[in-house]
Amino acid sequence: MSKPLSDHDKRKQISVRGLAGVENVTDLKTNFNRHLHFTLVKDRNVATRRDYYFALANTVRDHLVGRWIRTQQHYYEKDPKRVYYLSLEFYMGRTLQNTMVNLALENACDEAVYQLGLDMEELEDIEEDAGLGNGGLGRLAACFLDSMASLGLAAYGYGIRYEFGIFNQKIVNGWQVEEADDWLRYGNPWEKARPEYMRPVHFYGRTEHHPDGVKWVDTQVVLALPYDTPVPGYRNNVVNTMRLWSAKAPCEFNLKDFNVGGYIQAVLDRNLAENISRVLYPNDNFFEGKELRLKQEYFVVAATLQDIIRRFKVSKFGSREIARTDFNKLPEKAWDITVRTCAYTNHTVLPEALERWPIDLFQNLLPRHLEIIYEINRRHLERVASLFPGDTDRMRRMSLIEEGGIKRVNMAHLCIVGAHAVNGVARIHSDILKATVFKDFYEMDPHKFQNKTNGITPRRWLVMCNPGLAEVIAERIGEDFIRDLDQLKKLLKFVNDEAFIRDVAKVKQENKLKFATHLEEHYKVKINPNSMFDIQVKRIHEYKRQLLNCLHIITFYNRIKKEPNKQWSPRTIMIGGKAAPGYHTAKMIIRLITAIGEVVNNDPVVGDRLKVIFLENYRVTLAEKAVPAADLSEQISTAGTEASGTGNMKFMLNGALTIGTMDGANVEMAEEAGEDNIFIFGMRVEDVEAMDKKGYNASEYYNRIPELKQAIDQIAGGFFSPKQPDLFKDIVNLLMHHDRFKVFADYEDYIKCQEKVSALYKKPKEWVKKVIYNIAGSGKFSSDRTISQYAREIWGVEPSLEKIAAPDDPK
């Protein structure tokens, strides 16, 4: 028998990684050595692995620069309508491999690095994740940037260059411990500072009202310094820009008025201004009304708006005489321009996540803006009154200013009034917005409300993270699906094809073995690679119901203990995700998961039929390893709480089956894959609403369902925490008496549904057929489709799959 192929040789055979031409490889080696030499000449004789990584990153970056300059030049000349995507989060992960994929350089770089005696995967592992996001919303922005570039849109991502991104999570004695994410420690080869576009941003001060208008005076100034990161499209030579702002104190900061001897302190106080871009707030789906956060929000908006208007003025359209000289009519047109320019995407219906800023905070930080908001509100309520005469309660509900207790600015209401389009991020979510949260606004302006179901980029989430699967697909239907994911429907022809079934199963097994090896290195637990990999990875939150998953684990454990000789379907259950540092309940949920793991994993009766692993420090890079290895994807939020979800789509595309509620995009996934090919359980939105009316009584379920009672009694009685029997009393109390998310109400149906999952897993061929239906149905969930809909239905631009000329082509 021939010896098994090395990882390098295996990678060479994957055509979707691009061709490795000889000249190409030679050039890459030359440039790599040039960059390496430059690094070493500066300070050292011996190259470290990090030196090699930087040499490779800079070599790949060289291939971006020409395309980047040419793309921006192309926009300047053609002057298309620009798209600006503003977000406080861009959760980009690593850049090196994604750039090689999109530039078709992967095999050439791999070969060059190999010929230099280095290992590509080892070098890729040196790169830090750009963790400038919390979860779904920040990762969505990153997928959208990839799709906007791949669809040839003149689009720019604007955000904040946080010095510290989402914290690194360590598990110490079963508890989450946070450490700062110093991701820029060794420098970032992918960014370029652009001090020539620095902009001032004003805070505090006061307003003066004069006959000729209003002045905002005595402000404190902070400078916004932009850093640009290239965003390459997929093999179309387009390179767009993500521009992230960093806060800088002006030279004269605090120095005009320092007293004798205060010079040193004045210079040290520059930190206060520069703290604006210091750290990402680590809350997911939760509003914490802190002044620094409002500063961050205004900082990115004020800097970005100045930059947009600067670019508009220098563009060909902007330089026409009228736009340049005649600003007289601007005031009466400003609001109309604002509304026609802006669109608002809502990402959650959880009331605790919606921003409601206290008036006095706003007044202090942005006094002029508050006056303008009052005026916007006056005109808005005038319109409400004319459309619904005498309906004062509606006026109160729809006001931008909430009275009672502390007065607050309702930011979602301001967004709706100031936008020409408002959208949710999955059909069910958009329907809920119109029916409940924004019902009054929908009745007044139904034309504003749309749906844009979220998507994920198939470049990172299939080609890059799962090249084996991408290849077996490409062998059947060609490579065009990578830019047009709907073509995956062609796989339906192969649902009964023995060879295809075998290939899909083989790729999954290889991915599981690779992930198992990774886990055994990190967790020192032996993993049964033939067990079902049952994975729930997402931020830890009560609404996502990791506790429901825990109750299934305990129930399954108790059943194995009760009948140890039965043929159980073996499982490795993995749960991962970060808890916001101030969210006590979420931290306790992590402690419960680790405690269950300690008991289950050390019980000899259970053996390798059940293992429970908490995946530490879940982030983009860990998702890229876990998603291709999953058999079962857990999407079990209470119906009506998860706006869309996007992890659900990644698992579907990568050959896992889903167990989930009829929530978020799960509804549309069931529609696309076929209801028979996804495990749906639990209450629907209507059932949850009915239960809210009637009242949810947890103890009714506890008393009626013996296995549920047993599990809760074990948690409460210290079975999982023998050294501290009351460790989980808060969690039990929550589940029994204040559970907004009705975990017990879905328990019975969840357990039954999990039994169906186990039964199917014992029939591998039937399982894989359902997997194929899922992959074939996942085309809708490409962010290319999402972005095409935003482009045509909201932004008024037309996407294109045309290539632009490469830098080495003549123009």
Side-chain angles (χ1 to χ4, degrees), residues 590-639:
I590 291 175
R591 186 63 191 95
L592 177 62
I593 296 162
T594 57
I596 294 169
E598 283 159 32
V599 170
V600 169
N601 299 347
N602 295 299
D603 190 322
V605 175
V606 174
D608 67 359
R609 293 179 290 186
L610 176 59
K611 290 281 184 237
V612 178
I613 295 174
F614 186 85
L615 296 174
E616 191 177 287
N617 202 30
Y618 179 65
R619 60 201 187 284
V620 174
T621 294
L622 188 55
E624 290 163 4
K625 295 174 168 71
V627 166
D631 290 307
L632 186 67
S633 159
E634 300 266 357
Q635 308 296 336
I636 58 180
S637 53
T638 312

Coordinates of all heavy atoms in Angstrom, one line a residue, residues 590-639:
I590 N -21.4 28.8 32.1 CA -20.1 28.2 31.8 C -19.7 27.2 32.9 O -19.2 26.1 32.6 CB -19.1 29.3 31.5 CG1 -19.4 30.0 30.2 CG2 -17.7 28.6 31.4 CD1 -18.5 31.2 29.9
R591 N -19.8 27.7 34.1 CA -19.3 26.9 35.3 C -20.1 25.6 35.3 O -19.6 24.5 35.7 CB -19.4 27.7 36.6 CG -18.8 26.9 37.8 CD -17.3 26.7 37.6 NE -16.7 25.8 38.6 CZ -16.6 24.5 38.4 NH1 -17.0 23.9 37.2 NH2 -16.0 23.7 39.3
L592 N -21.4 25.7 35.0 CA -22.2 24.4 35.0 C -21.8 23.5 33.9 O -21.7 22.3 34.2 CB -23.7 24.8 34.8 CG -24.7 23.6 34.8 CD1 -24.6 22.8 36.1 CD2 -26.1 24.0 34.5
I593 N -21.5 24.0 32.7 CA -21.1 23.1 31.6 C -19.8 22.4 32.0 O -19.6 21.2 31.8 CB -20.9 23.9 30.4 CG1 -22.2 24.5 29.9 CG2 -20.3 23.1 29.2 CD1 -22.1 25.7 28.9
T594 N -18.8 23.2 32.6 CA -17.5 22.5 32.9 C -17.7 21.5 34.1 O -17.0 20.5 34.1 CB -16.5 23.6 33.3 OG1 -17.0 24.4 34.4 CG2 -16.2 24.5 32.1
A595 N -18.6 21.8 35.0 CA -18.9 20.9 36.1 C -19.5 19.6 35.6 O -19.1 18.5 36.1 CB -19.8 21.6 37.1
I596 N -20.4 19.7 34.7 CA -21.1 18.5 34.1 C -20.0 17.7 33.4 O -19.9 16.4 33.6 CB -22.2 18.9 33.1 CG1 -23.4 19.5 33.9 CG2 -22.7 17.6 32.4 CD1 -24.4 20.2 33.0
G597 N -19.1 18.4 32.7 CA -18.0 17.7 32.0 C -17.1 16.9 33.0 O -16.7 15.8 32.7
E598 N -16.8 17.5 34.1 CA -15.9 16.9 35.1 C -16.5 15.6 35.6 O -15.8 14.5 35.7 CB -15.7 17.8 36.3 CG -14.6 18.9 36.1 CD -14.8 20.1 37.0 OE1 -15.2 19.8 38.2 OE2 -14.5 21.2 36.6
V599 N -17.8 15.5 35.8 CA -18.5 14.3 36.2 C -18.6 13.3 35.1 O -18.2 12.1 35.2 CB -19.9 14.6 36.8 CG1 -20.7 13.3 37.1 CG2 -19.8 15.4 38.1
V600 N -19.1 13.7 34.0 CA -19.4 12.8 32.9 C -18.1 12.2 32.3 O -18.0 11.0 32.1 CB -20.2 13.5 31.7 CG1 -20.2 12.7 30.5 CG2 -21.6 13.9 32.2
N601 N -17.1 13.0 32.1 CA -15.9 12.6 31.4 C -15.0 11.6 32.3 O -14.1 11.0 31.8 CB -15.0 13.8 31.0 CG -15.8 14.7 30.0 OD1 -16.8 14.3 29.5 ND2 -15.2 15.9 29.8
N602 N -15.3 11.6 33.6 CA -14.5 10.7 34.5 C -15.3 9.6 35.0 O -14.9 8.9 36.0 CB -14.0 11.6 35.6 CG -13.0 12.6 35.1 OD1 -11.9 12.3 34.5 ND2 -13.3 13.9 35.3
D603 N -16.5 9.3 34.4 CA -17.3 8.2 34.9 C -17.0 7.0 34.0 O -17.4 6.9 32.8 CB -18.8 8.6 34.7 CG -19.7 7.6 35.4 OD1 -19.4 6.4 35.3 OD2 -20.7 8.0 36.0
P604 N -16.4 5.9 34.6 CA -16.0 4.8 33.8 C -17.2 4.0 33.2 O -17.0 3.3 32.2 CB -15.2 3.9 34.8 CG -15.6 4.3 36.1 CD -16.0 5.8 36.0
V605 N -18.3 4.1 33.8 CA -19.5 3.4 33.3 C -19.9 4.0 31.9 O -20.3 3.3 31.0 CB -20.7 3.5 34.2 CG1 -22.0 2.9 33.6 CG2 -20.4 2.8 35.6
V606 N -19.7 5.3 31.8 CA -20.1 6.0 30.5 C -19.0 5.7 29.4 O -19.4 5.5 28.3 CB -20.2 7.5 30.8 CG1 -20.4 8.2 29.5 CG2 -21.4 7.7 31.7
G607 N -17.7 5.7 29.8 CA -16.7 5.5 28.9 C -16.7 6.5 27.7 O -16.9 7.7 28.0
D608 N -16.5 6.0 26.5 CA -16.4 7.0 25.4 C -17.7 7.2 24.7 O -17.8 7.6 23.6 CB -15.3 6.6 24.4 CG -15.6 5.3 23.6 OD1 -16.7 4.7 23.9 OD2 -14.8 4.9 22.8
R609 N -18.8 6.8 25.4 CA -20.1 7.0 24.7 C -20.7 8.4 24.9 O -21.6 8.8 24.2 CB -21.1 6.0 25.3 CG -20.7 4.5 24.9 CD -21.7 3.5 25.5 NE -21.5 3.4 26.9 CZ -22.2 2.5 27.7 NH1 -23.0 1.6 27.1 NH2 -22.0 2.4 29.0
L610 N -20.1 9.1 25.9 CA -20.5 10.5 26.1 C -19.3 11.3 26.6 O -18.8 10.9 27.7 CB -21.7 10.6 27.1 CG -22.2 12.1 27.4 CD1 -22.6 12.9 26.2 CD2 -23.3 12.1 28.4
K611 N -19.0 12.3 26.0 CA -17.9 13.3 26.5 C -18.5 14.7 26.3 O -19.3 15.0 25.4 CB -16.7 13.2 25.6 CG -15.9 11.9 25.8 CD -15.1 11.9 27.1 CE -14.2 10.6 27.3 NZ -14.6 9.9 28.5
V612 N -18.2 15.5 27.3 CA -18.6 16.9 27.3 C -17.4 17.8 27.3 O -16.6 17.7 28.2 CB -19.6 17.2 28.5 CG1 -20.0 18.7 28.5 CG2 -20.8 16.3 28.5
I613 N -17.3 18.7 26.3 CA -16.1 19.6 26.2 C -16.6 21.0 26.1 O -17.4 21.3 25.3 CB -15.3 19.2 25.0 CG1 -14.7 17.8 25.2 CG2 -14.2 20.2 24.8 CD1 -14.0 17.2 24.0
F614 N -16.0 21.9 27.0 CA -16.2 23.3 26.8 C -15.1 23.8 25.9 O -13.9 23.7 26.2 CB -16.3 24.1 28.1 CG -16.6 25.5 27.9 CD1 -18.0 25.9 27.8 CD2 -15.7 26.5 27.7 CE1 -18.3 27.2 27.6 CE2 -16.0 27.8 27.5 CZ -17.3 28.2 27.4
L615 N -15.5 24.4 24.7 CA -14.5 24.9 23.8 C -14.0 26.3 24.2 O -14.8 27.2 24.1 CB -15.0 24.9 22.4 CG -15.4 23.6 21.8 CD1 -16.1 23.8 20.4 CD2 -14.2 22.7 21.6
E616 N -12.8 26.3 24.7 CA -12.2 27.6 25.3 C -11.9 28.6 24.2 O -11.5 28.2 23.1 CB -11.0 27.2 26.1 CG -10.4 28.3 26.9 CD -9.2 27.8 27.7 OE1 -9.3 27.0 28.6 OE2 -8.0 28.1 27.3
N617 N -12.2 29.8 24.5 CA -11.8 31.0 23.7 C -12.4 30.8 22.2 O -11.7 31.0 21.2 CB -10.3 31.1 23.6 CG -9.9 32.6 23.2 OD1 -10.6 33.5 23.5 ND2 -8.7 32.7 22.6
Y618 N -13.7 30.5 22.1 CA -14.3 30.4 20.8 C -14.2 31.8 20.1 O -14.5 32.8 20.7 CB -15.8 30.0 21.0 CG -16.5 30.0 19.7 CD1 -16.2 29.0 18.7 CD2 -17.6 30.9 19.4 CE1 -16.9 29.0 17.5 CE2 -18.2 30.8 18.1 CZ -17.9 29.9 17.2 OH -18.5 29.8 16.0
R619 N -13.8 31.7 18.8 CA -13.5 32.9 18.0 C -13.5 32.5 16.6 O -13.7 31.3 16.3 CB -12.1 33.5 18.4 CG -11.0 32.5 18.1 CD -9.7 32.9 19.0 NE -8.5 32.1 18.6 CZ -8.4 30.8 19.0 NH1 -9.3 30.2 19.8 NH2 -7.3 30.1 18.7
V620 N -13.4 33.4 15.6 CA -13.5 33.1 14.2 C -12.6 31.9 13.9 O -13.0 30.9 13.2 CB -13.1 34.3 13.3 CG1 -13.1 33.9 11.8 CG2 -14.1 35.4 13.5
T621 N -11.3 31.9 14.3 CA -10.3 30.9 13.9 C -10.7 29.5 14.5 O -10.4 28.5 13.8 CB -8.9 31.4 14.4 OG1 -8.6 32.5 13.6 CG2 -7.9 30.3 14.1
L622 N -11.3 29.5 15.7 CA -11.7 28.2 16.2 C -13.0 27.7 15.4 O -13.1 26.5 15.2 CB -12.0 28.3 17.7 CG -12.3 26.9 18.4 CD1 -11.2 25.9 18.1 CD2 -12.5 27.1 19.9
A623 N -13.9 28.6 15.0 CA -15.0 28.3 14.3 C -14.6 27.6 13.0 O -15.2 26.6 12.5 CB -15.9 29.5 14.0
E624 N -13.6 28.1 12.3 CA -13.1 27.6 11.1 C -12.6 26.1 11.2 O -12.6 25.4 10.2 CB -11.9 28.4 10.5 CG -12.4 29.8 10.0 CD -11.3 30.8 9.9 OE1 -10.1 30.5 10.1 OE2 -11.6 32.0 9.6
K625 N -12.3 25.7 12.4 CA -11.9 24.3 12.7 C -13.1 23.5 13.1 O -13.3 22.3 12.7 CB -10.8 24.2 13.8 CG -9.5 24.8 13.4 CD -8.6 24.8 14.6 CE -7.1 25.2 14.3 NZ -7.0 26.6 13.9
A626 N -14.0 24.0 13.9 CA -15.1 23.3 14.5 C -16.2 23.0 13.5 O -16.8 21.9 13.4 CB -15.7 24.0 15.7
V627 N -16.5 24.1 12.7 CA -17.7 24.0 11.8 C -17.6 22.8 10.8 O -18.5 22.0 10.6 CB -18.0 25.3 11.1 CG1 -18.9 25.2 9.9 CG2 -18.5 26.3 12.1
P628 N -16.4 22.6 10.1 CA -16.3 21.5 9.2 C -16.4 20.1 9.8 O -16.6 19.1 9.2 CB -14.9 21.7 8.5 CG -14.6 23.2 8.8 CD -15.2 23.5 10.1
A629 N -16.1 20.1 11.2 CA -16.1 18.8 11.9 C -17.4 18.4 12.5 O -17.6 17.3 13.0 CB -15.0 18.8 13.0
A630 N -18.4 19.3 12.5 CA -19.7 19.1 13.2 C -20.6 18.1 12.5 O -20.7 18.1 11.3 CB -20.4 20.4 13.4
D631 N -21.2 17.2 13.3 CA -22.3 16.4 12.7 C -23.7 17.0 13.0 O -24.6 17.0 12.2 CB -22.3 15.0 13.4 CG -21.1 14.2 12.9 OD1 -20.9 14.0 11.7 OD2 -20.4 13.7 13.8
L632 N -23.8 17.6 14.2 CA -25.1 18.2 14.7 C -24.9 19.6 15.1 O -24.0 19.9 15.9 CB -25.7 17.3 15.8 CG -27.1 17.7 16.3 CD1 -28.1 17.4 15.2 CD2 -27.5 17.0 17.6
S633 N -25.7 20.5 14.6 CA -25.6 21.9 15.0 C -26.8 22.3 15.9 O -28.0 22.0 15.5 CB -25.7 22.7 13.6 OG -26.1 24.0 13.8
E634 N -26.5 22.9 17.0 CA -27.6 23.2 18.0 C -28.0 24.6 17.9 O -27.2 25.6 18.1 CB -27.0 22.9 19.4 CG -26.6 21.5 19.7 CD -27.7 20.7 20.3 OE1 -28.8 21.2 20.6 OE2 -27.4 19.5 20.6
Q635 N -29.3 24.9 17.5 CA -29.8 26.2 17.2 C -31.1 26.3 18.0 O -32.2 26.2 17.4 CB -30.0 26.5 15.7 CG -28.7 26.2 14.9 CD -27.5 27.1 15.2 OE1 -27.7 28.2 15.7 NE2 -26.3 26.6 15.0
I636 N -31.1 26.5 19.3 CA -32.2 26.1 20.2 C -32.7 27.3 21.0 O -33.3 27.1 22.0 CB -31.8 24.9 21.1 CG1 -30.6 25.3 21.9 CG2 -31.5 23.7 20.2 CD1 -30.1 24.2 22.9
S637 N -32.6 28.5 20.4 CA -33.2 29.7 21.1 C -34.7 29.6 21.2 O -35.3 28.9 20.4 CB -32.8 30.9 20.3 OG -33.2 30.8 18.9
T638 N -35.3 30.3 22.2 CA -36.7 30.4 22.3 C -37.3 31.1 21.0 O -36.7 32.1 20.6 CB -37.1 31.2 23.5 OG1 -36.4 30.7 24.6 CG2 -38.6 31.1 23.8
A639 N -38.3 30.5 20.4 CA -38.8 31.1 19.2 C -39.1 32.6 19.4 O -39.8 32.9 20.4 CB -40.1 30.3 18.8

